[in-house]
Amino acid sequence: MPQVMTARSDASDSGESDYQCRMSESGCRVGAHVIFLPEGYEPLPHQVAGHLFTNGKMGMLRRRGDERAILKPLQKFPKGRREADFYQRLFKAGCTAGMEALRPWIPDYYGVKDIPITDGSTERQQTFLLLEDQAAMLNQASVLDVKIGRQCWDHEASAKKIEIEKSKYPAQEQLGYRISAMRVYNKTANDFDHYDKLYGLSLDAHSIVDALSVFFSDGIDRRCDVVSDVLSQLKSLRDVFCMQEDVHFYSSSLLILYDSQAPASTTSVKVKMIDFAHTYFDQSGIDENYIYGLTHFMDGLQSILQEPVSAISHASSSQ
C-alpha cells in the first residue's frame, strides 16, 4: 500500500501559514490574539477537528483531574442554540421512538456550564456543553473525525454558502463523506501521528481509502478486528436511520475511537455521532443524505478488509 503523507498542520483557519502558537499554563497566543485558560481547565488533548485551542480559538476543554466529561464551546446564535436544543430534546423523557433509537449513538449530555474567559484585558462568559468524554477509558485512543453526507449545507443556507461548501471538497458529493482529521497511534514511535483538516481535503476517491487504512493500523499491523467491529456498529446505526424520520443532520460527523493497545471489544471501540449545529426537526421522511454518506463510508471500510495486508507507513505532521 502506498505511504499516505500528512499535510502540515501549521495553517490557521484564517489562511495564515506562518503563525506560531505559544502554549503555557495560562493561555495560547496566536499573533496578537491571546486566550487564557480558565483556572483548573486544560485543552482537550485528543481533540482532532473543529476549533482547536492551539489555533488561538476557544477549543474543547476538560477539567484537570476529571476525564469523565469534556466542555465544548457553544457556538454563536443560531448554531449554538440549535445544537443545545438537539441534546435537550434527545435526552428528555417522552421523546419519540426514533429519537430514543438515536440516544446510544450520541455522547451523554450533562447540561451547560458558563465559565468566565479572559484575553487579559476583558472578561466574558463562555457557555459550554458538558458531554461524555469518549476517550476517558481508552489507554491509547486513536481518533477519527468523519463528516457524513454528500450535502453539508442545510436548507437555510444562502446561495453563497452553498457555493462555499461545495468548493471545500468537491469529491464529497460523490463520496458522501470526508475525513476532517485524525490521530493515529504509531507503535514504532510510541506516539501519535496527527493528520489535519488540510490533509483530509487533499484526499481523492482513491487516497481516502488509503487514509482509512492508515487510521486502522499502528504503523506495523492492520487492525482488521477494529474495522470489523466498526462496520458492525455502523450497520446498526444505519438501521436506525432507515426508520427514524424525526431529525435530519447536515455537516454532522462520526467520531470513531479505538484503544490502540487492546483487542476490539464493546469498551475499546466506539462509534458516536457528534456536531449538531445544523440539525433540523422540521423535515419529513428519512435522512437520505446521511444514509448515503454512511453507506459509502461503510463501503470504504469494507474495501480495507478485502485488501491484501501489507506494511503501512505513518508520517507525522508538524504540530
Side-chain angles (χ1 to χ4, degrees), residues 88-136:
Q88 291 163 5
R89 293 177 67 168
L90 181 74
F91 287 99
K92 75 176 182 180
C95 67
T96 66
M99 293 289 282
E100 285 188 354
L102 283 171
R103 280 182 187 171
W105 304 101
I106 312 294
D108 285 345
Y109 170 66
Y110 307 129
V112 297
K113 182 180 181 65
D114 290 334
I115 299 176
I117 302 296
T118 180
D119 62 4
S121 59
T122 60
E123 182 176 285
R124 62 181 175 86
Q125 291 292 318
Q126 172 68 52
T127 301
F128 291 85
L129 297 169
L130 273 66
L131 305 170
E132 176 189 13
D133 186 354
Q134 297 303 309

Side-chain angles (χ1 to χ4, degrees), residues 15 22 29 73 97 136-137 153-154 211 237 247 264 269:
R22 297 186 290 277
R29 177 188 297 274
M137 303 303 293
W153 61 91
D154 56 52
L237 177 59
V247 57
V269 181

Side-chain angles (χ1 to χ4, degrees), residues 166-179:
K166 284 184 175 181
S167 66
K168 282 183 180 179
Y169 190 58
Q172 188 160 353
E173 187 171 358
Q174 176 186 356
L175 284 173
Y177 68 97
R178 76 170 184 255
I179 291 177

